[in-house]
Amino acid sequence: MSKSPGLVLLVLLLHLASPRADADDAAASGTGGWQTIRIGETHYNPKHHTLARLTGAYFELANLRRFIENEELTEAVDLVAEMQRRLDAVGFRMQTKDQMEADPAQAQFDIWPSAKPDCCTVGFWANLTQAARVTSNPAYKFRLGTWGGGGNFQTTAPESCPNKGLWLAEELLAIIDAFAADYEKARRELHVAPAIVAPEREGMDCDTQRCPRPVWTPLS
């Protein structure tokens, strides 16, 4: 028995309108559509998992460079290069602004330094934002903070003041190391292969072997 054209059209429209069809289409296209999220579910991934598929970020360094200049921190002139070296070691790129804007994640890493005149207290705050959608309003894209770190650091060692730039550099690099560790942890937990591999790690399985990290030789 043949079906009437009207009935065939009705069945087709119902199929296209069904959430299941939308979810299948999203899965096939690799977008992981919003229809696959179950409303009311209370299980959430840890925040560091948002880092797993990033390949890099634009580092807004204007505040840091101004801070170095204002504080006359001549010992820290290689700080940006050292940051890049540590990030390269875990496969994370320091992007240009143009590269960031062309990247779907559009991730940006901001650093906010501050210091008190007495020289013994400094603050470094860093946060990473990236393009994201929220389940309450998935039609729109937002810039949301997905990682942060830092704090106020103090030293009571008199020798730290003549070497203030070196001391502050070590504190900031500790924040960069914490970010790199979370980035590696997220990739490992979600089984995401690194986008780039540092030469010193070529051919190594960093999940099972003790992979080398760069050793910083500060300026003398």
Side-chain angles (χ1 to χ4, degrees):
M1 182 174 65
S2 61
K3 297 180 181 178
S4 68
L7 179 59
V8 172
L9 179 60
L10 177 61
V11 171
L12 178 60
L13 290 174
L14 288 173
H15 173 74
L16 291 175
S18 70
R20 179 62 188 172
D22 289 341
D24 290 343
D25 291 343
S29 66
T31 60
W34 290 96
Q35 295 83 358
T36 61
I37 296 176
R38 283 182 266 177
I39 304 302
E41 188 175 15
T42 57
H43 171 74
Y44 300 98
N45 284 62
K47 186 177 285 188
H48 68 274
H49 281 181
T50 61
L51 308 178
R53 295 191 180 277
L54 296 180
T55 57
Y58 170 65
F59 282 68
E60 177 51 76
L61 299 174
N63 290 322
L64 178 61
R65 289 195 172 103
R66 188 160 47 246
F67 178 76
I68 290 174
E69 181 180 346
N70 291 344
E71 297 291 322
E72 300 179 349
L73 305 181
T74 54
E75 299 92 342
V77 292
D78 68 339
L79 180 56
V80 175
E82 179 58 27
M83 288 168 53
Q84 182 164 6
R85 198 156 68 97
R86 295 190 181 202
L87 293 167
D88 284 347
V90 298
F92 194 87
R93 297 183 188 276
M94 291 182 73
Q95 298 174 332
T96 66
K97 196 161 190 176
D98 287 342
Q99 289 172 333
M100 179 270 284
E101 291 174 350
D103 190 318
Q106 295 184 335
Q108 179 167 317
F109 197 101
D110 292 286
I111 299 172
W112 306 95
S114 63
K116 291 186 177 181
D118 64 4
C119 170
C120 293
T121 304
V122 63
F124 276 118
W125 300 93
N127 70 290
L128 181 123
T129 59
Q130 59 178 295
R133 299 184 190 275
V134 296
T135 55
S136 61
N137 198 358
Y140 295 90
K141 185 169 69 173
F142 302 92
R143 176 167 287 283
L144 300 180
T146 58
W147 188 90
N152 291 317
F153 308 97
Q154 291 182 315
T155 179
T156 56
E159 65 273 14
S160 294
C161 279
N163 300 309
K164 185 176 179 181
L166 180 59
W167 168 57
L168 299 185
E170 293 286 4
E171 298 294 352
L172 178 56
L173 290 172
I175 298 172
I176 297 300
D177 285 343
F179 171 79
D182 278 348
Y183 178 62
E184 286 193 296
K185 182 180 179 183
R187 280 200 332 229
R188 183 171 61 252
E189 292 174 351
L190 296 182
H191 308 289
V192 177
I196 55 175
V197 179
E200 61 267 28
R201 293 183 171 202
E202 192 70 47
M204 299 188 71
D205 180 359
C206 292
D207 289 345
T208 59
Q209 301 180 42
R210 190 174 185 83
C211 287
R213 284 189 176 275
V215 177
W216 184 35
T217 303
L219 296 179
S220 56

